[in-house]
Structures are given as structure tokens and as C-alpha cells.
Amino acid sequence: MATTTLDPIAQLLQATLDPRQNKQAEQQILQAEKNPNFSLLLLQIVASDQYPYTTRLASALCFKNLIKRNWTDEDGNHKLSSGEVVAIKQELIGLMTSTPPGIQSQLGDAISVIADSDFWQRWETLVDDLVSRLTPDNTTVNNGVLQVAHSIFKRWRPLFRSDDLYTEVNFVLSRFGAPFLTLFENTDRLIGENKDNKEVIQQLFVTLNLIVKLFNDLSCQDLPPIFEENLPTIMTLLHNYLSYDNPLLHTDDDSESGSLEFVKTGICEVLILYVQKYEDAFGPLVGNFITSVWNLLTAVGSQTKYDILVSKALQFLSAVAHVASHAQNFNDKGVLGEVVEKVILPNVSLRESDIELFEDEPIEFIRRDLEGSDSDTRRRAATDFLRALLEQFEAPVTEVVSQYINHYLSSYSSSPKGNWKSKDTAVYLFSSIAAKGVSTASGGVKDINPLVDVVDFFQKNISGDLVADTGVEAILKIAAMKYLYTFRSRIQKHQWQQALPLVAKHLNSPEYVVHTYAAICIERVLFLQVFDQPDVVALSKDLLEHLLLLIEKEGAPEKVQENEFLMKCVMRVLIVIRDGVIPNTDSILAHLIKITDIICKNPSNPRFYYYHFEAIGALIRFAAPSQPDKLEQALGKPFAFAVQEGVQEFIPYVFQLFAALLEANPSASLPDYYKSLIPSILMPALWESKGNVPALIKLVTSIIPRGASEMARDGQVEPVLGVFQKLVSTKANESYGFDILESVIAHFPVDALQPYFVHMFNIMLLRLQNSKTENFSLRFVRFYHFMSARGEKGLGTDFVINILDQIQSGVFTPIYTGIILPDTQKLSKPFDRKTAVISLTKTITESSAFIERYKKGWAYTTDALLALLESPVLAVVADDVIDEADIDDMSFGVGFTQLNTCKRLPKDPFPEIKDTKLWVSQQITNANTKTAGLINTFIRERLSPESQQKLHSLFPI
């Protein structure tokens, strides 16, 4: 391809790296992606040495994102042409063996995406291609091949076992297993031959690191027979490298792990897997590894470059301690004392690097330190090992550790200023042996070691650190608040009433970590609902003011949104005080708008702005019903700005909040701004983004109830139904399509919809015929009942039958008897079942078609109605608990994230019908009277004796 074709693309890619023009460049690239073979042009730039590395890397990143968006559709079909798909697969493997590591990483991610849909059945040649490229001694090529293999096979690690998965794994092992072991042995030999050649041995250890990772990948589901047959040899090799050392592999930087540390870390991960899953085969070999890991832990330094290695080594010992037979290695007070002194204490005590992190990167210190977020830190891993021992030997471990706790407390008492670290260690050790089981995100530690008293320890040794205004190290105040945070579920309300003010006053601390931990502690206590709403309302004004001022303290966008913990606390306070926020609405609204304006310039922390928008959602939910105009006017400007500027990270949230504002004032007319917004939100381009769709549906279905008449008058029926048609054509969006259609039917005048009914149903029937899913069928049935139950609106059963007759005469019968009636019983939501009951009742009492044409259908309908009534419609319990999204979930921040403060509660479509069974009885009785006993005649003539008996037992007519 001539450079004249590639150069403009390369210039655009380079522009994406410039903050002044990156947005425009990214939009142009998105447009260019639609051109045939654009992906191959990107790969040509990646392959070309004539472009700067940054441009090639940007091209690899762009290629990866293109593949993520455009490789397959919701049904797994390729979106690119078959020729382009084949060419991509052919090019990628070669590029992985010839490009620098940074580019390899991006291409590897793309390969992983492709493999998710195509490997192995649509990419059967891949493994043979990889094996054919392996060489005896070319590390560059081998590393590229192994990187590709790892990017594909690592997908297996989190998957649940299935026949298809095992077929795939066995397919790979049958071709890759033997060459892989040969490469392992060759690499071991080459390392021995090149131990004095720095450049070569460094590359060989990159190879060895990938081999260890792949060994883990290939073993993660089941022990491969080829590995089991060679297990002693393989484990001998791994054991050798666990204790291997070579100065040529040492890094000069104390904070930078090198390939030697990576290999040993990977070996520890393999050992953990084999202890946990393959004890029968691996058990006899464990002893040597316990000794080697022990020696490693007692010899390794405190430098941060060893942190991950130490963490994984400790996790291996934890896995060993969970196996009763192996745990006996530690069943001796002398051994336990040695474990605590030589392994636990060095790894739970504060290091200078920890204090530097506290001072220089406080937010990172907090994220690592929090329970559940520090799984790869020394402290967390040492704690897990100690707790694993505690599970096996509760009394001796408690006794041994308590001796060290008392020693450190005495050391602190002798010189509080000089020995403050001793107290931190004592508190951490006590927390480690006091907690049993897993600490939950919602409630902290719930199961306690019965040999200790957590409240007594707090009162005697910790509470004073929160009371004192001066003379206590900041880290000890943090330890005190973390203690409360950890054991929050074990502290009673009257104790929290004393402790909470002590925690809250630390929001005034100038120390970043101190006031952040205060916010973290307060937020989790409020989540537990220890306090009644009035208790929190009394504190809320000062709490919110302090928190919001702390967030705004530094005006730069990246600093304002750095600390998600502060905003999470704001959100929680607003959720807990509910309408108690109303007197302070103006102040809080001003703060939240100011923060929105700042972070809109450069969104950088998805967690922060998620909590920020949840906080706004809470304010709307609880304050807008009493003052809707104020909030609509105040929030309209910043929200409109985010939409106009195309701030993609905010748009799904803004649409949800716009909808919440509309729903807070359902009886008012539609404001002008929303009227002006309608044409743009109905444009097809906006619906292309998966993340926009759920939020747009929420917004559109909030606009329609307040603006249906004007939308009909302005000719917007067809664009809305165009959205329905687009959404209902795909499995991923079919439910959203029905959501918008139901809103249209419920609120638009029937006359305005009359020209479209046949087309609407035709679209649905084609889906039922060609690509029916269980969900689509249920939504169609729900929609049918939605229309059938609304005779008073000019719809009803006969109306639907007439539409279907226009599509094809007689088509109603097979649809009704084959889909609608049987699937009606599958409806599970109470309001859906209620609607179905009303629909079926009106069918047998009001439909002329069922009275005159569908005599058997009348009986089938009655039987379906009786079946529904035998399983009573359950009352809907109002779910008033507002939870936040799981920000640790892998999908968080990708596409759409639901704002739970804006979540719609189930709405009864027939609130006037309180007692459904009574209503049915009255409807049948009234219909029988109006028709001079015709309904009774139908019951006698059309129903089986069994059905008659059921009917009369429910409704004595």
C-alpha cells in the first residue's frame, strides 16, 4: 500500500496523542473505521518502521479498539467482510513475532477478543501455525508466539467448566502440549549455556516467564495428562528456578521488578493452583516447595520490587495451611513463633516505602490498604496466611500472636513518639487474629475469634487515638478508623453513637489519608443503617459541607475527581437522609453543579463520577418532587453542556438524570429544552453506542408521557417507531425495543399510530418466525396483553386480531394457541401477570371474535385465565433500598452503568384494580348480565367439566 494512503491515517493517529486535537482526530478515525479494510491499513502502519514508535503504538491501540467494537455482532456473526477477517488472522501472528513488546501487548489484547468468538472452531489453523513458528533458539520469535498463545489461553482461567471448554482445551493440548514441554526443556538448557551472557539470558527469562504463565493457563481447568506424566520433571525445573539467582537479572531500581521476580512469582501462582486443585498428584512434591518458599521469604529484602513475589509466596503457604495434612508442618508453638517472627512480622510492619507512599501518593496508599483491595500487598498476604493457620490451630496461634501484640503495645507505651510504628503493628496483628472468615464489602468482618474481645481492645488501646487532637501520628488515627471500619458489624448502636462523632471530626484533618478514612468509615456505617434517618439528618448539613469542600479544595479536574471515597460518602449521606435534604437543597445543588462543571472538562476517574451522578440522582429523587422547576433549571445547563460537548463518559448518566427530573414532575408539560432535544436523541447515530441505549430508552420513555401529543403533532411518531424497529431486530436490545413500544402505545393517540400498527406487528412476527428467543417471545406475549387489556383506549383483543388479519388471514390462531397462551404462564413479574389476567378476562367477556369465531379459543382462554388465577398475582414489595454498582466488577465503567438512585420502581398499569380476583368475578358477572346469560351458556357448552368446576369454585356465577 502506498504511503500516500497510510500517511493521512498516521497523521490522525499522531493527533490522537495531542490533547488539543485528540477528540476531533478520534471522531475522524471512527468515521474511517467504516471503510472496507481499514483494519488492514492500521496493521500496515503497525508493521512499518518508517513511522515513529508512538504512531505505531497508537495504530495498534486503534486496531484493538476497532476489533472490540466491530469483530462480531450480538449473534456472533462477523461484522467485517470474510476477506478482511482472514487477512487479519494471517497478519496478526507474524506481527506478534516482529514488533516491540508494547505493541505486542495491544495486538495480544485484540487476538484475545478475536479468540473469544472464533477460537477454536473458526480458527482451527491457529495452534498449528503457532507450533510451526517455534524455534530452538530464536527468543524474539518464540516470545511472540508464546505471547499470542497466552493471550488466548488465559481466557480459560475464570471460566466454569463445560463440555465445549474441555473440548477446546484438549484440542490445544493435543497439538501444543508436547512442543511446549520441548521448548521448556530447551529454554532451561539455553539458560544454563548463557548464564554469563546478559542480553541473551534476559531474553530467555522473558521466554521462561511466558512458559510459566502458559503452564498455568494449560493447567487451570484440569490437570493435562501430558503434564501429569511428566510432573516430577516439570516440578524439578520449577523448583530449580524458584531458588535460582543470577546477578545479571537483578534490577538497579528497588521499586522495579525484573524478569527473575516475575518468573518466581509465576511459579508461586502455579504452586497455589496445584495445591488447591491437584493435591492427589502434587501432594508428595509439596514438601520441597514449602522449604524453598520459606527460605525465599526469610532471605528476600523489604524492597518494593519483591512485593508481588512475597505476596504470592505467602499465598502459597496459605494454600498449604488450608490442607490439613500439610498444615501439620506448622503445628508446634515453637514453629508458629518462628513463622510469626520471621515471616509475618516483617511483612505486616510498616516500611519506609509505605510511609513514602502515604506522604507522596495518599490515594494509592488508601486503595492498597483497604480491606479487599490489597490482595497483592505483603500485609494482606501475611494476614491471610496467619488466618489460615488460625483456622487450623486457633488457640496456639492466638496465644503466640497475643504475646507479640502485648510486646509491641509495651514498646509503644515506653516511648509513644519514638515507637509509634510498634502500636500500628500491634493493632494490625490484633485485627488479623480477631477476624475470621471473609470480610464483606457491605458489613466488614462478621465472624470473630471467640478468644479475643474486639470492643474491649478498642476501648483500652485504640479509642484514645481518635479522642486526642494532638500528639498522635496520623497513621495511628488511620489504624483506629480502619479498625472501626473492619469490625463495624460487631459494634452496637450505642457504641457507634459515641464513636461516630470522633470519626466525623477527622474530616477536618489536613491529612489527606486521615480525612479520607473518616469518610470511608462514615459511609460504611451509614450503609449498615445503624442510625435512624433523623439521627443522620441532624449531622448531614455539616457532613456534606465538609465533604464537598474537601472535594473542591484543588480546582484542577484531575484533583477534584481523584478521591472517589469522599464522593461515595456524599452519595451515602444523601441516600440515607432522603427528603431531609430539602432544607439544604440550594447549597448542595450548587456544590454538585460546580463539581460537574469542573470534571466535565476532563473525566478521568470512572468511580468518582459514578458516585457523583448517584449523588445527583439521590438529590433529584428526594428533593425534586417538592421543587421540580428549581432542579430542572439548575441542572439543565451543565447536563446540556455535557451532551453538546460530546462527553461520552457522562452522556449515559446525564440521560438517566434527565429522565429522573422528568419523572419527578409527571403532570407538568414538557419543558422546551426537552422538546428541542427530541430530534437529536432520535437520530440513529446516537443509538449506535451500546452504552447509550439503556439510558436513551429511559429518557425517551420519560419524555413520551409528558410530550406525546406534541410529538404526534410534530411528526415524531415515525422516528420513535424507527428506534423500536432498530432495537427489536437484535437479541441484545429487543427488550428495550418493547419498552419504547409499550410507552408509545400507552401515551400516543391511537389515531396517530393507526398507519403503523400493521408494520409494527409484521416486524414482530418476522422475528418470531426467523429468530425467536425465549425473551422475545415473553416480551411479545406481554405486549399482546398490554394491548388486549386496553379496550377503553380503542385497542383490545379484536383490535389486535384485525391487525393480524391484515397481515395474513387466520394467522392469529397459531400465534395465540402456539405462543401467547402457553407463554402467558411463564410470565413471572406480578404486574405482567396482572395485565395478562385482565387481558384474558376482557377477551372472554368483551371480544366479539371469541364469542363468534373462536369457540375453542374461548375455552382455551378461560383455562389459561384459571391457571393464572390458581397462582395468585403476588403483591409487589416496594424496594426502597438503594445500592450502588459494584465498581470492582470487570464490566464497571464499560458502556452503560445503571444509576440506582434513578432506578424505576415497578409501576402498576391498572392501579384502579386493587383485588384482581374480585375484579374478574365482577367482570364475568356483569358480562353475563349484559348478554342475558350468554357467558353461563358458554361455560356449560365450551368448558370441560373440570374447568367448569374450577371456575365455579373461584366465582360462583
Side-chain angles (χ1 to χ4, degrees):
M1 180 69 65
T3 55
T4 52
T5 304
L6 299 180
D7 284 348
I9 301 172
Q11 290 166 9
L12 278 177
L13 291 166
Q14 196 64 37
T16 63
L17 307 176
D18 183 350
R20 295 168 299 180
Q21 49 184 331
N22 62 331
K23 283 191 176 181
Q24 183 179 357
E26 287 165 2
Q27 288 301 315
Q28 289 180 265
I29 287 174
L30 283 173
Q31 288 299 315
E33 279 184 7
K34 298 174 183 177
N35 298 330
N37 296 319
F38 182 74
S39 62
L40 300 177
L41 299 180
L42 293 174
L43 290 180
Q44 288 184 45
I45 293 173
V46 169
S48 175
D49 291 333
Q50 77 178 56
Y51 295 109
Y53 173 78
T54 54
T55 303
R56 296 172 66 196
L57 181 60
S59 189
L61 177 62
C62 182
F63 174 80
K64 177 186 75 174
N65 292 332
L66 183 153
I67 293 299
K68 284 183 175 180
R69 286 190 293 266
N70 297 307
W71 189 253
T72 58
D73 59 22
E74 291 85 355
D75 299 325
N77 301 313
H78 289 133
K79 294 170 73 173
L80 303 176
S81 69
S82 58
E84 193 169 353
V85 166
V86 170
I88 286 171
K89 291 176 180 177
Q90 290 173 342
E91 292 290 327
L92 274 177
I93 310 305
L95 286 172
M96 285 293 290
T97 62
S98 61
T99 51
I103 292 175
Q104 280 184 354
S105 177
Q106 299 300 327
L107 296 180
D109 288 344
I111 289 171
S112 186
V113 173
I114 294 170
D116 271 337
S117 68
D118 287 24
F119 187 77
W120 59 281
Q121 289 170 319
R122 293 197 291 189
W123 204 358
E124 292 186 33
T125 59
L126 174 62
V127 179
D128 292 334
D129 187 11
L130 292 176
V131 170
S132 71
R133 292 173 186 265
L134 290 173
T135 71
D137 53 10
N138 188 329
T139 54
T140 300
V141 172
N142 289 343
N143 291 347
V145 170
L146 295 177
Q147 186 67 53
V148 172
H150 176 54
S151 69
I152 295 171
F153 305 156
K154 70 181 179 183
R155 298 160 35 254
W156 299 335
R157 295 195 188 189
L159 301 180
F160 292 107
R161 61 189 303 162
S162 68
D163 290 345
D164 287 344
L165 176 59
Y166 272 56
T167 301
E168 180 179 324
V169 174
N170 289 331
F171 171 82
V172 169
L173 285 166
S174 66
R175 290 161 169 75
F176 192 76
F180 171 74
L181 290 182
T182 301
L183 179 65
F184 195 172
E185 292 171 348
N186 282 344
T187 303
D188 174 59
R189 175 179 55 79
L190 290 170
I191 287 172
E193 293 172 359
N194 293 276
K195 64 181 184 298
D196 299 320
N197 187 327
K198 183 174 183 178
E199 183 178 350
V200 174
I201 200 168
Q202 285 182 336
Q203 283 301 306
L204 285 167
F205 258 74
V206 172
T207 306
L208 184 59
N209 183 36
L210 287 165
I211 287 172
V212 172
K213 286 181 178 180
L214 278 163
F215 185 77
N216 199 328
D217 297 338
L218 295 168
S219 303
C220 67
Q221 288 293 329
D222 201 1
L223 180 57
I226 192 170
F227 290 175
E228 188 170 11
E229 292 163 9
N230 295 278
L231 200 59
T233 303
I234 294 170
M235 288 301 165
T236 298
L237 287 172
L238 293 177
H239 185 263
N240 290 343
Y241 285 107
L242 192 61
S243 53
Y244 182 89
D245 193 24
N246 188 326
L248 296 179
L249 295 169
H250 294 180
T251 59
D252 297 329
D253 189 340
D254 285 347
S255 63
E256 180 187 356
S257 300
S259 54
L260 183 60
E261 288 77 44
F262 292 140
V263 166
K264 292 184 178 185
T265 299
I267 291 171
C268 287
E269 290 179 331
V270 167
L271 298 180
I272 294 165
L273 174 69
Y274 271 68
V275 167
Q276 292 175 339
K277 292 195 71 168
Y278 311 124
E279 167 63 18
D280 289 347
F282 183 53
L285 306 173
V286 169
N288 288 337
F289 284 102
I290 294 175
T291 303
S292 296
V293 169
W294 175 268
N295 292 335
L296 185 154
L297 286 169
T298 54
V300 76
S302 63
Q303 298 96 320
T304 55
K305 67 180 178 181
Y306 300 122
D307 284 1
I308 297 180
L309 171 57
V310 170
S311 174
K312 294 300 180 185
L314 286 165
Q315 287 175 39
F316 165 67
L317 292 182
S318 297
V320 168
H322 282 299
V323 180
S325 58
H326 297 315
Q328 294 306 314
N329 289 294
F330 306 104
N331 189 12
D332 178 87
K333 282 190 180 180
V335 174
L336 289 172
E338 197 174 351
V339 167
V340 173
E341 188 163 331
K342 292 186 176 180
V343 174
I344 303 298
L345 290 175
N347 292 303
V348 299
S349 300
L350 279 173
R351 300 170 295 168
E352 284 304 313
S353 59
D354 297 321
I355 297 171
E356 288 173 8
L357 189 68
F358 170 85
E359 294 171 347
D360 300 337
E361 297 183 64
I363 194 68
E364 185 60 26
F365 177 91
I366 295 163
R367 288 173 182 152
R368 289 190 189 183
D369 188 57
L370 273 179
E371 185 82 17
S373 65
D374 54 356
S375 57
D376 282 332
T377 66
R378 295 188 184 219
R379 271 195 158 189
R380 175 78 263 132
T383 300
D384 288 344
F385 179 34
L386 188 57
R387 287 177 181 167
L389 293 173
L390 191 73
E391 286 179 18
Q392 302 286 353
F393 319 112
E394 186 171 80
V397 169
T398 303
E399 182 182 340
V400 168
V401 175
S402 294
Q403 292 171 0
Y404 285 96
I405 292 170
N406 293 330
H407 164 75
Y408 281 112
L409 288 174
S410 297
S411 172
Y412 171 75
S413 298
S414 66
S415 176
K417 190 170 181 62
N419 296 334
W420 65 268
K421 290 182 186 177
S422 296
K423 183 170 184 181
D424 179 76
T425 303
V427 172
Y428 197 91
L429 280 174
F430 184 86
S431 298
S432 298
I433 62 166
K436 293 176 68 176
V438 178
S439 177
T440 64
S442 59
V445 170
K446 296 185 177 180
D447 194 9
I448 299 294
N449 181 347
L451 302 177
V452 300
D453 187 332
V454 295
V455 174
D456 181 67
F457 186 83
F458 175 78
Q459 291 171 339
K460 289 180 178 177
N461 300 295
I462 300 177
S463 61
D465 294 339
L466 291 177
V467 173
D469 292 325
T470 58
V472 178
E473 286 287 334
I475 287 181
L476 291 183
K477 288 185 175 291
I478 294 161
M481 288 187 283
K482 186 179 179 185
Y483 188 94
L484 290 171
Y485 166 87
T486 301
F487 298 108
R488 55 192 180 271
S489 291
R490 305 293 300 189
I491 300 172
Q492 301 302 311
K493 180 177 179 178
H494 70 276
Q495 294 164 335
W496 270 120
Q497 286 173 329
Q498 295 175 332
L500 188 64
L502 297 177
V503 174
K505 76 173 187 176
H506 287 85
L507 290 174
N508 295 315
S509 172
E511 287 281 2
Y512 188 101
V513 181
V514 173
H515 64 239
T516 300
Y517 250 109
I520 290 168
C521 192
I522 292 167
E523 189 277 328
R524 284 293 87 182
V525 175
L526 294 182
F527 178 83
L528 286 179
Q529 298 181 318
V530 172
F531 298 99
D532 298 326
Q533 184 208 15
D535 299 330
V536 184
V537 170
L539 301 170
S540 63
K541 183 177 180 181
D542 289 340
L543 274 178
L544 290 167
E545 190 68 20
H546 272 109
L547 289 163
L548 291 163
L549 287 173
L550 284 169
I551 292 168
E552 297 168 1
K553 188 176 179 182
E554 296 186 52
E558 63 276 9
K559 296 302 291 183
V560 167
Q561 62 193 303
E562 176 184 65
N563 193 331
E564 68 265 19
F565 303 104
L566 297 178
M567 185 53 78
K568 185 177 185 182
C569 192
V570 170
M571 174 200 76
R572 185 65 55 206
V573 173
L574 290 171
I575 288 172
V576 170
I577 65 174
R578 305 173 70 81
D579 56 4
V581 74
I582 291 173
N584 303 310
T585 298
D586 290 350
S587 170
I588 296 163
L589 187 58
H591 281 294
L592 293 175
I593 289 172
K594 180 180 179 182
I595 293 167
T596 304
D597 290 340
I598 294 171
I599 65 175
C600 197
K601 297 170 186 174
N602 182 24
S604 58
N605 184 352
R607 289 174 169 83
F608 179 92
Y609 53 75
Y610 163 71
Y611 292 129
H612 172 67
F613 287 122
E614 284 282 24
I616 296 176
L619 188 65
I620 292 170
R621 179 166 177 168
F622 300 120
S626 63
Q627 41 196 327
D629 293 339
K630 176 189 289 185
L631 270 76
E632 276 193 0
Q633 291 170 13
L635 291 168
K637 184 178 178 182
F639 288 175
F641 180 80
V643 174
Q644 289 161 6
E645 292 298 306
V647 185
Q648 295 301 320
E649 299 89 339
F650 286 6
I651 286 176
Y653 293 124
V654 166
F655 286 161
Q656 292 178 75
L657 293 168
F658 269 143
L661 285 167
L662 285 168
E663 290 169 5
N665 190 20
S667 59
S669 60
L670 189 66
D672 290 340
Y673 174 72
Y674 291 97
K675 294 177 185 176
S676 67
L677 194 62
I678 292 170
S680 59
I681 64 174
L682 295 179
M683 292 293 288
L686 201 56
W687 297 81
E688 293 295 332
S689 169
K690 293 179 182 178
N692 285 348
V693 171
L696 280 167
I697 286 294
K698 189 171 178 64
L699 177 56
V700 172
T701 55
S702 298
I703 288 174
I704 287 172
R706 286 176 60 172
S709 298
E710 290 137 308
M711 292 175 72
R713 183 196 63 207
D714 295 339
Q716 290 168 333
V717 174
E718 196 162 313
V720 173
L721 293 177
V723 171
F724 153 73
Q725 181 173 356
K726 177 181 175 64
L727 296 177
V728 86
S729 66
T730 65
K731 295 175 183 177
N733 292 322
E734 60 195 20
S735 288
Y736 298 124
F738 278 108
D739 287 344
I740 203 168
L741 184 59
E742 287 175 4
S743 183
V744 166
I745 300 298
H747 298 286
F748 275 81
V750 174
D751 290 346
L753 301 175
Q754 197 67 50
Y756 306 102
F757 278 117
V758 170
H759 185 56
M760 280 189 269
F761 271 91
N762 200 35
I763 291 167
M764 289 183 271
L765 296 188
L766 286 171
R767 268 297 310 269
L768 286 171
Q769 180 180 346
N770 299 326
S771 55
K772 183 179 78 169
T773 64
E774 179 77 5
N775 178 64
F776 186 91
S777 180
L778 289 174
R779 286 306 303 259
F780 173 78
V781 170
R782 171 177 142 166
F783 176 69
Y784 166 80
H785 289 305
F786 183 83
M787 287 193 66
S788 172
R790 284 169 170 74
E792 76 286 348
K793 188 175 165 55
L795 303 173
T797 307
D798 291 344
F799 184 86
V800 176
I801 293 171
N802 180 52
I803 292 169
L804 293 176
D805 278 345
Q806 292 179 58
I807 296 173
Q808 181 183 328
S809 179
V811 76
F812 175 75
T813 299
I815 292 171
Y816 191 70
T817 57
I819 297 174
I820 294 172
L821 287 182
D823 282 4
T824 292
Q825 305 304 324
K826 298 177 185 177
L827 296 173
S828 58
K829 294 180 180 178
F831 288 149
D832 291 350
R833 293 177 71 83
K834 180 178 180 179
T835 301
V837 166
I838 295 168
S839 161
L840 297 176
T841 304
K842 289 188 174 183
T843 298
I844 64 171
T845 58
E846 297 178 1
S847 168
S848 58
F850 273 78
I851 291 173
E852 298 166 8
R853 292 166 55 188
Y854 303 118
K855 296 180 181 180
K856 289 183 180 179
W858 193 95
Y860 297 151
T861 303
T862 306
D863 287 341
L865 173 62
L866 293 172
L868 278 179
L869 291 170
E870 283 180 323
S871 301
V873 176
L874 301 174
V876 176
V877 179
D879 180 9
D880 218 13
V881 177
I882 301 172
D883 293 326
E884 70 273 9
D886 180 4
I887 61 170
D888 295 317
D889 186 277
M890 290 182 68
S891 64
F892 173 77
V894 179
F896 174 76
T897 300
Q898 168 75 51
L899 290 176
N900 286 308
T901 50
C902 299
K903 188 181 287 185
R904 284 177 179 153
L905 297 177
K907 188 175 181 181
D908 188 347
F910 298 94
E912 69 279 7
I913 300 175
K914 307 296 183 188
D915 185 330
T916 308
K917 191 176 289 188
L918 177 62
W919 178 87
V920 173
S921 176
Q922 293 171 343
Q923 187 80 1
I924 294 175
T925 302
N926 293 339
N928 190 53
T929 302
K930 285 181 183 177
T931 58
L934 190 60
I935 300 297
N936 262 338
T937 302
F938 289 166
I939 292 172
R940 289 194 306 272
E941 294 178 354
R942 298 182 179 182
L943 295 186
S944 67
E946 181 184 357
S947 296
Q948 290 183 44
Q949 185 177 356
K950 283 183 184 178
L951 184 63
H952 286 300
S953 66
L954 287 170
F955 313 116
I957 301 172

